[in-house]
mmCIF file of all heavy atoms in Angstrom:
data_model
loop_
_atom_site.group_PDB
_atom_site.id
_atom_site.type_symbol
_atom_site.label_atom_id
_atom_site.label_comp_id
_atom_site.label_asym_id
_atom_site.label_seq_id
_atom_site.Cartn_x
_atom_site.Cartn_y
_atom_site.Cartn_z
ATOM 1 N N ARG A 1 77.191 -93.435 82.655
ATOM 2 C CA ARG A 1 78.033 -92.671 81.690
ATOM 3 C C ARG A 1 77.134 -92.039 80.630
ATOM 4 O O ARG A 1 76.182 -92.643 80.231
ATOM 5 C CB ARG A 1 78.978 -93.631 80.951
ATOM 6 C CG ARG A 1 79.928 -94.437 81.902
ATOM 7 C CD ARG A 1 80.873 -95.314 81.127
ATOM 8 N NE ARG A 1 80.168 -96.402 80.418
ATOM 9 C CZ ARG A 1 80.712 -97.289 79.640
ATOM 10 N NH1 ARG A 1 82.027 -97.228 79.431
ATOM 11 N NH2 ARG A 1 80.036 -98.204 79.053
ATOM 12 N N VAL A 2 77.529 -90.839 80.263
ATOM 13 C CA VAL A 2 76.706 -90.098 79.285
ATOM 14 C C VAL A 2 77.576 -89.549 78.162
ATOM 15 O O VAL A 2 78.575 -88.936 78.410
ATOM 16 C CB VAL A 2 75.950 -88.893 80.000
ATOM 17 C CG1 VAL A 2 75.211 -88.065 78.939
ATOM 18 C CG2 VAL A 2 75.010 -89.372 81.074
ATOM 19 N N LEU A 3 77.115 -89.837 76.939
ATOM 20 C CA LEU A 3 77.682 -89.255 75.718
ATOM 21 C C LEU A 3 76.666 -88.264 75.209
ATOM 22 O O LEU A 3 75.484 -88.526 75.163
ATOM 23 C CB LEU A 3 77.893 -90.281 74.623
ATOM 24 C CG LEU A 3 78.968 -91.345 74.775
ATOM 25 C CD1 LEU A 3 78.893 -92.329 73.620
ATOM 26 C CD2 LEU A 3 80.346 -90.715 74.786
ATOM 27 N N THR A 4 77.142 -87.049 74.828
ATOM 28 C CA THR A 4 76.245 -86.071 74.223
ATOM 29 C C THR A 4 76.963 -85.270 73.180
ATOM 30 O O THR A 4 78.208 -85.463 72.945
ATOM 31 C CB THR A 4 75.570 -85.183 75.292
ATOM 32 O OG1 THR A 4 74.459 -84.478 74.695
ATOM 33 C CG2 THR A 4 76.565 -84.237 75.922
ATOM 34 N N ASP A 5 76.261 -84.389 72.539
ATOM 35 C CA ASP A 5 76.806 -83.677 71.404
ATOM 36 C C ASP A 5 77.458 -82.306 71.847
ATOM 37 O O ASP A 5 76.820 -81.541 72.532
ATOM 38 C CB ASP A 5 75.699 -83.385 70.364
ATOM 39 C CG ASP A 5 76.218 -82.716 69.145
ATOM 40 O OD1 ASP A 5 77.005 -83.395 68.399
ATOM 41 O OD2 ASP A 5 75.937 -81.535 68.931
ATOM 42 N N ASP A 6 78.642 -82.129 71.419
ATOM 43 C CA ASP A 6 79.433 -80.925 71.757
ATOM 44 C C ASP A 6 78.742 -79.643 71.209
ATOM 45 O O ASP A 6 78.637 -78.644 71.927
ATOM 46 C CB ASP A 6 80.827 -81.031 71.204
ATOM 47 C CG ASP A 6 81.702 -79.901 71.680
ATOM 48 O OD1 ASP A 6 81.805 -79.695 72.898
ATOM 49 O OD2 ASP A 6 82.297 -79.213 70.795
ATOM 50 N N SER A 7 78.200 -79.704 69.985
ATOM 51 C CA SER A 7 77.573 -78.486 69.447
ATOM 52 C C SER A 7 76.340 -78.074 70.251
ATOM 53 O O SER A 7 76.042 -76.864 70.346
ATOM 54 C CB SER A 7 77.257 -78.691 67.967
ATOM 55 O OG SER A 7 76.248 -79.664 67.812
ATOM 56 N N GLN A 8 75.625 -79.036 70.782
ATOM 57 C CA GLN A 8 74.429 -78.702 71.537
ATOM 58 C C GLN A 8 74.817 -78.055 72.874
ATOM 59 O O GLN A 8 74.140 -77.176 73.425
ATOM 60 C CB GLN A 8 73.582 -79.939 71.804
ATOM 61 C CG GLN A 8 73.039 -80.575 70.534
ATOM 62 C CD GLN A 8 72.307 -79.610 69.653
ATOM 63 O OE1 GLN A 8 71.345 -78.951 70.100
ATOM 64 N NE2 GLN A 8 72.734 -79.458 68.408
ATOM 65 N N LEU A 9 75.931 -78.488 73.455
ATOM 66 C CA LEU A 9 76.444 -77.872 74.658
ATOM 67 C C LEU A 9 76.822 -76.369 74.461
ATOM 68 O O LEU A 9 76.692 -75.568 75.309
ATOM 69 C CB LEU A 9 77.655 -78.600 75.223
ATOM 70 C CG LEU A 9 77.313 -79.854 76.025
ATOM 71 C CD1 LEU A 9 78.576 -80.661 76.252
ATOM 72 C CD2 LEU A 9 76.674 -79.523 77.362
ATOM 73 N N LYS A 10 77.300 -76.113 73.237
ATOM 74 C CA LYS A 10 77.758 -74.775 72.905
ATOM 75 C C LYS A 10 76.575 -73.837 72.537
ATOM 76 O O LYS A 10 76.705 -72.619 72.638
ATOM 77 C CB LYS A 10 78.726 -74.833 71.783
ATOM 78 C CG LYS A 10 80.074 -75.473 72.187
ATOM 79 C CD LYS A 10 80.983 -75.588 70.995
ATOM 80 C CE LYS A 10 82.297 -76.270 71.414
ATOM 81 N NZ LYS A 10 83.127 -76.611 70.267
ATOM 82 N N THR A 11 75.475 -74.429 72.099
ATOM 83 C CA THR A 11 74.364 -73.597 71.621
ATOM 84 C C THR A 11 73.135 -73.558 72.501
ATOM 85 O O THR A 11 72.349 -72.600 72.416
ATOM 86 C CB THR A 11 73.959 -74.018 70.165
ATOM 87 O OG1 THR A 11 73.525 -75.367 70.207
ATOM 88 C CG2 THR A 11 75.087 -73.808 69.202
ATOM 89 N N LEU A 12 72.913 -74.561 73.325
ATOM 90 C CA LEU A 12 71.754 -74.637 74.174
ATOM 91 C C LEU A 12 72.141 -74.491 75.636
ATOM 92 O O LEU A 12 72.745 -75.375 76.240
ATOM 93 C CB LEU A 12 71.028 -75.982 73.982
ATOM 94 C CG LEU A 12 70.443 -76.279 72.612
ATOM 95 C CD1 LEU A 12 69.902 -77.724 72.542
ATOM 96 C CD2 LEU A 12 69.396 -75.276 72.231
ATOM 97 N N ASN A 13 71.733 -73.379 76.190
ATOM 98 C CA ASN A 13 72.074 -73.100 77.602
ATOM 99 C C ASN A 13 71.493 -74.171 78.552
ATOM 100 O O ASN A 13 72.122 -74.595 79.506
ATOM 101 C CB ASN A 13 71.561 -71.710 78.027
ATOM 102 C CG ASN A 13 72.446 -70.602 77.451
ATOM 103 O OD1 ASN A 13 73.633 -70.803 77.181
ATOM 104 N ND2 ASN A 13 71.816 -69.437 77.274
ATOM 105 N N LYS A 14 70.268 -74.604 78.294
ATOM 106 C CA LYS A 14 69.664 -75.634 79.140
ATOM 107 C C LYS A 14 70.417 -76.936 79.054
ATOM 108 O O LYS A 14 70.530 -77.658 80.051
ATOM 109 C CB LYS A 14 68.166 -75.825 78.744
ATOM 110 C CG LYS A 14 67.391 -76.656 79.704
ATOM 111 C CD LYS A 14 67.325 -75.996 81.067
ATOM 112 C CE LYS A 14 66.447 -76.811 81.994
ATOM 113 N NZ LYS A 14 66.495 -76.346 83.374
ATOM 114 N N GLN A 15 70.922 -77.278 77.883
ATOM 115 C CA GLN A 15 71.778 -78.511 77.757
ATOM 116 C C GLN A 15 73.013 -78.353 78.639
ATOM 117 O O GLN A 15 73.338 -79.278 79.358
ATOM 118 C CB GLN A 15 72.157 -78.670 76.286
ATOM 119 C CG GLN A 15 73.108 -79.802 76.062
ATOM 120 C CD GLN A 15 72.457 -80.992 75.371
ATOM 121 O OE1 GLN A 15 71.261 -81.042 75.183
ATOM 122 N NE2 GLN A 15 73.249 -81.966 74.992
ATOM 123 N N LYS A 16 73.660 -77.214 78.552
ATOM 124 C CA LYS A 16 74.895 -77.014 79.334
ATOM 125 C C LYS A 16 74.559 -77.064 80.846
ATOM 126 O O LYS A 16 75.261 -77.683 81.615
ATOM 127 C CB LYS A 16 75.545 -75.639 79.019
ATOM 128 C CG LYS A 16 76.869 -75.503 79.622
ATOM 129 C CD LYS A 16 77.548 -74.220 79.036
ATOM 130 C CE LYS A 16 78.949 -74.150 79.582
ATOM 131 N NZ LYS A 16 79.720 -73.056 78.982
ATOM 132 N N GLU A 17 73.451 -76.433 81.266
ATOM 133 C CA GLU A 17 73.049 -76.478 82.708
ATOM 134 C C GLU A 17 72.777 -77.885 83.144
ATOM 135 O O GLU A 17 73.228 -78.311 84.244
ATOM 136 C CB GLU A 17 71.768 -75.645 82.889
ATOM 137 C CG GLU A 17 71.956 -74.134 82.757
ATOM 138 C CD GLU A 17 70.637 -73.412 82.765
ATOM 139 O OE1 GLU A 17 69.615 -73.963 83.246
ATOM 140 O OE2 GLU A 17 70.558 -72.302 82.278
ATOM 141 N N ASN A 18 72.082 -78.665 82.318
ATOM 142 C CA ASN A 18 71.756 -80.044 82.693
ATOM 143 C C ASN A 18 73.017 -80.926 82.781
ATOM 144 O O ASN A 18 73.157 -81.779 83.653
ATOM 145 C CB ASN A 18 70.735 -80.670 81.784
ATOM 146 C CG ASN A 18 69.347 -80.142 82.080
ATOM 147 O OD1 ASN A 18 69.062 -79.685 83.166
ATOM 148 N ND2 ASN A 18 68.454 -80.209 81.127
ATOM 149 N N VAL A 19 73.928 -80.736 81.827
ATOM 150 C CA VAL A 19 75.186 -81.491 81.861
ATOM 151 C C VAL A 19 76.004 -81.119 83.114
ATOM 152 O O VAL A 19 76.589 -82.003 83.759
ATOM 153 C CB VAL A 19 75.992 -81.307 80.550
ATOM 154 C CG1 VAL A 19 77.416 -81.786 80.669
ATOM 155 C CG2 VAL A 19 75.228 -82.020 79.411
ATOM 156 N N GLN A 20 75.996 -79.860 83.423
ATOM 157 C CA GLN A 20 76.694 -79.417 84.689
ATOM 158 C C GLN A 20 76.090 -80.114 85.896
ATOM 159 O O GLN A 20 76.807 -80.504 86.854
ATOM 160 C CB GLN A 20 76.656 -77.905 84.862
ATOM 161 C CG GLN A 20 77.486 -77.159 83.882
ATOM 162 C CD GLN A 20 78.967 -77.454 83.911
ATOM 163 O OE1 GLN A 20 79.498 -77.787 84.945
ATOM 164 N NE2 GLN A 20 79.650 -77.436 82.750
ATOM 165 N N LYS A 21 74.753 -80.253 85.952
ATOM 166 C CA LYS A 21 74.102 -80.925 87.074
ATOM 167 C C LYS A 21 74.532 -82.404 87.108
ATOM 168 O O LYS A 21 74.772 -82.941 88.191
ATOM 169 C CB LYS A 21 72.581 -80.818 86.953
ATOM 170 C CG LYS A 21 72.090 -79.444 87.226
ATOM 171 C CD LYS A 21 70.564 -79.318 86.972
ATOM 172 C CE LYS A 21 70.112 -77.866 87.119
ATOM 173 N NZ LYS A 21 68.686 -77.703 86.775
ATOM 174 N N LEU A 22 74.622 -83.046 85.952
ATOM 175 C CA LEU A 22 75.075 -84.436 85.923
ATOM 176 C C LEU A 22 76.524 -84.558 86.454
ATOM 177 O O LEU A 22 76.828 -85.449 87.209
ATOM 178 C CB LEU A 22 74.967 -85.011 84.541
ATOM 179 C CG LEU A 22 73.563 -85.195 83.950
ATOM 180 C CD1 LEU A 22 73.626 -85.571 82.508
ATOM 181 C CD2 LEU A 22 72.804 -86.211 84.783
ATOM 182 N N LEU A 23 77.369 -83.609 86.058
ATOM 183 C CA LEU A 23 78.744 -83.581 86.555
ATOM 184 C C LEU A 23 78.783 -83.412 88.064
ATOM 185 O O LEU A 23 79.553 -84.078 88.766
ATOM 186 C CB LEU A 23 79.554 -82.505 85.860
ATOM 187 C CG LEU A 23 79.945 -82.714 84.442
ATOM 188 C CD1 LEU A 23 80.524 -81.433 83.804
ATOM 189 C CD2 LEU A 23 80.920 -83.832 84.302
ATOM 190 N N GLN A 24 77.930 -82.552 88.566
ATOM 191 C CA GLN A 24 77.831 -82.309 90.042
ATOM 192 C C GLN A 24 77.395 -83.601 90.751
ATOM 193 O O GLN A 24 77.721 -83.745 91.917
ATOM 194 C CB GLN A 24 76.875 -81.170 90.340
ATOM 195 C CG GLN A 24 77.461 -79.847 89.912
ATOM 196 C CD GLN A 24 76.420 -78.702 89.974
ATOM 197 O OE1 GLN A 24 75.257 -78.929 90.303
ATOM 198 N NE2 GLN A 24 76.865 -77.520 89.676
ATOM 199 N N CYS A 25 76.661 -84.489 90.071
ATOM 200 C CA CYS A 25 76.274 -85.747 90.650
ATOM 201 C C CYS A 25 77.397 -86.781 90.500
ATOM 202 O O CYS A 25 77.198 -87.935 90.920
ATOM 203 C CB CYS A 25 75.024 -86.283 89.961
ATOM 204 S SG CYS A 25 73.540 -85.328 90.377
ATOM 205 N N GLY A 26 78.511 -86.404 89.955
ATOM 206 C CA GLY A 26 79.649 -87.311 89.768
ATOM 207 C C GLY A 26 79.573 -88.168 88.521
ATOM 208 O O GLY A 26 80.279 -89.163 88.414
ATOM 209 N N ILE A 27 78.719 -87.808 87.587
ATOM 210 C CA ILE A 27 78.519 -88.611 86.400
ATOM 211 C C ILE A 27 79.494 -88.154 85.311
ATOM 212 O O ILE A 27 79.577 -86.996 84.948
ATOM 213 C CB ILE A 27 77.055 -88.505 85.898
ATOM 214 C CG1 ILE A 27 76.152 -89.054 86.949
ATOM 215 C CG2 ILE A 27 76.865 -89.190 84.537
ATOM 216 C CD1 ILE A 27 74.693 -88.808 86.773
ATOM 217 N N PRO A 28 80.310 -89.091 84.775
ATOM 218 C CA PRO A 28 81.216 -88.720 83.695
ATOM 219 C C PRO A 28 80.445 -88.422 82.399
ATOM 220 O O PRO A 28 79.531 -89.158 82.039
ATOM 221 C CB PRO A 28 82.144 -89.931 83.541
ATOM 222 C CG PRO A 28 81.369 -91.086 84.100
ATOM 223 C CD PRO A 28 80.426 -90.509 85.104
ATOM 224 N N ILE A 29 80.902 -87.371 81.701
ATOM 225 C CA ILE A 29 80.311 -86.949 80.465
ATOM 226 C C ILE A 29 81.390 -86.931 79.427
ATOM 227 O O ILE A 29 82.495 -86.416 79.661
ATOM 228 C CB ILE A 29 79.693 -85.544 80.572
ATOM 229 C CG1 ILE A 29 78.782 -85.394 81.796
ATOM 230 C CG2 ILE A 29 78.989 -85.129 79.270
ATOM 231 C CD1 ILE A 29 77.480 -86.111 81.713
ATOM 232 N N LYS A 30 81.072 -87.402 78.209
ATOM 233 C CA LYS A 30 81.966 -87.237 77.082
ATOM 234 C C LYS A 30 81.175 -86.670 75.915
ATOM 235 O O LYS A 30 79.989 -86.917 75.786
ATOM 236 C CB LYS A 30 82.600 -88.569 76.671
ATOM 237 C CG LYS A 30 83.645 -89.032 77.692
ATOM 238 C CD LYS A 30 84.577 -90.067 77.152
ATOM 239 C CE LYS A 30 85.621 -90.407 78.170
ATOM 240 N NZ LYS A 30 86.629 -91.314 77.621
ATOM 241 N N VAL A 31 81.897 -85.884 75.103
ATOM 242 C CA VAL A 31 81.271 -85.251 73.944
ATOM 243 C C VAL A 31 82.084 -85.564 72.722
ATOM 244 O O VAL A 31 83.244 -85.889 72.787
ATOM 245 C CB VAL A 31 81.132 -83.696 74.110
ATOM 246 C CG1 VAL A 31 80.228 -83.312 75.267
ATOM 247 C CG2 VAL A 31 82.490 -83.081 74.318
ATOM 248 N N ASN A 32 81.407 -85.489 71.578
ATOM 249 C CA ASN A 32 82.125 -85.824 70.287
ATOM 250 C C ASN A 32 83.148 -84.750 70.047
ATOM 251 O O ASN A 32 83.051 -83.559 70.336
ATOM 252 C CB ASN A 32 81.110 -85.868 69.180
ATOM 253 C CG ASN A 32 80.290 -84.613 69.013
ATOM 254 O OD1 ASN A 32 79.620 -84.159 69.968
ATOM 255 N ND2 ASN A 32 80.299 -84.037 67.828
ATOM 256 N N ASN A 33 84.263 -85.260 69.450
ATOM 257 C CA ASN A 33 85.388 -84.447 69.096
ATOM 258 C C ASN A 33 85.703 -84.596 67.601
ATOM 259 O O ASN A 33 86.828 -84.364 67.170
ATOM 260 C CB ASN A 33 86.589 -84.882 69.963
ATOM 261 C CG ASN A 33 87.685 -83.892 69.921
ATOM 262 O OD1 ASN A 33 87.511 -82.668 69.861
ATOM 263 N ND2 ASN A 33 88.958 -84.337 70.012
ATOM 264 N N HIS A 34 84.688 -85.061 66.870
ATOM 265 C CA HIS A 34 84.904 -85.300 65.446
ATOM 266 C C HIS A 34 84.046 -84.326 64.640
ATOM 267 O O HIS A 34 83.284 -83.516 65.192
ATOM 268 C CB HIS A 34 84.535 -86.770 65.090
ATOM 269 C CG HIS A 34 83.147 -87.209 65.546
ATOM 270 N ND1 HIS A 34 82.004 -86.808 64.909
ATOM 271 C CD2 HIS A 34 82.753 -87.994 66.561
ATOM 272 C CE1 HIS A 34 80.955 -87.342 65.497
ATOM 273 N NE2 HIS A 34 81.392 -88.071 66.508
ATOM 274 N N GLU A 35 84.172 -84.345 63.343
ATOM 275 C CA GLU A 35 83.555 -83.408 62.474
ATOM 276 C C GLU A 35 82.044 -83.461 62.467
ATOM 277 O O GLU A 35 81.386 -82.437 62.340
ATOM 278 C CB GLU A 35 84.107 -83.645 61.064
ATOM 279 C CG GLU A 35 83.654 -82.576 60.063
ATOM 280 C CD GLU A 35 84.279 -82.820 58.694
ATOM 281 O OE1 GLU A 35 85.520 -82.995 58.622
ATOM 282 O OE2 GLU A 35 83.540 -82.837 57.724
ATOM 283 N N GLY A 36 81.494 -84.608 62.661
ATOM 284 C CA GLY A 36 80.035 -84.765 62.647
ATOM 285 C C GLY A 36 79.425 -84.470 63.989
ATOM 286 O O GLY A 36 80.016 -83.899 64.871
ATOM 287 N N ILE A 37 78.180 -84.918 64.151
ATOM 288 C CA ILE A 37 77.468 -84.685 65.383
ATOM 289 C C ILE A 37 77.259 -86.030 66.105
ATOM 290 O O ILE A 37 77.305 -87.089 65.444
ATOM 291 C CB ILE A 37 76.089 -84.020 65.193
ATOM 292 C CG1 ILE A 37 75.193 -84.805 64.276
ATOM 293 C CG2 ILE A 37 76.279 -82.560 64.696
ATOM 294 C CD1 ILE A 37 73.802 -84.221 64.100
ATOM 295 N N MET A 38 77.117 -86.018 67.422
ATOM 296 C CA MET A 38 76.774 -87.229 68.182
ATOM 297 C C MET A 38 75.269 -87.274 68.236
ATOM 298 O O MET A 38 74.648 -86.665 69.063
ATOM 299 C CB MET A 38 77.407 -87.148 69.599
ATOM 300 C CG MET A 38 77.518 -88.506 70.328
ATOM 301 S SD MET A 38 76.075 -89.513 70.503
ATOM 302 C CE MET A 38 74.945 -88.482 71.452
ATOM 303 N N HIS A 39 74.652 -87.939 67.237
ATOM 304 C CA HIS A 39 73.226 -87.859 67.021
ATOM 305 C C HIS A 39 72.475 -89.066 67.584
ATOM 306 O O HIS A 39 71.250 -89.197 67.349
ATOM 307 C CB HIS A 39 72.993 -87.713 65.496
ATOM 308 C CG HIS A 39 71.661 -87.106 65.182
ATOM 309 N ND1 HIS A 39 70.643 -87.819 64.629
ATOM 310 C CD2 HIS A 39 71.229 -85.877 65.376
ATOM 311 C CE1 HIS A 39 69.631 -87.008 64.466
ATOM 312 N NE2 HIS A 39 69.912 -85.870 64.915
ATOM 313 N N LEU A 40 73.133 -89.903 68.321
ATOM 314 C CA LEU A 40 72.428 -91.077 68.913
ATOM 315 C C LEU A 40 71.390 -90.668 69.942
ATOM 316 O O LEU A 40 71.553 -89.634 70.644
ATOM 317 C CB LEU A 40 73.478 -91.989 69.564
ATOM 318 C CG LEU A 40 74.474 -92.667 68.619
ATOM 319 C CD1 LEU A 40 75.555 -93.357 69.456
ATOM 320 C CD2 LEU A 40 73.842 -93.562 67.642
#
C-alpha cells in the first residue's frame, strides 16, 4: 500500500508517471485530501 502527496502528483510529471506504474502493478495508492501535505 502506498500513501503519497496529492500536490506532488499534480506538479511533478515523474511522480505521476511512477504512481501510474504502481497502479498498473495492482498496487493501491491513496493521497491526502486535507489542507496540509502528506510529508511522511
Side-chain angles (χ1 to χ4, degrees):
R1 302 181 294 177
V2 176
L3 289 175
T4 194
D5 184 68
D6 187 56
S7 66
Q8 298 307 305
L9 280 168
K10 292 175 181 171
T11 59
L12 297 174
N13 287 332
K14 190 63 177 171
Q15 175 108 350
K16 188 172 186 174
E17 290 171 21
N18 283 339
V19 166
Q20 290 298 329
K21 289 175 186 175
L22 292 173
L23 287 170
Q24 290 169 359
C25 290
I27 296 169
I29 310 289
K30 290 200 175 183
V31 296
N32 56 305
N33 195 33
H34 53 75
E35 187 176 309
I37 58 176
M38 199 305 299
H39 204 248
L40 297 172

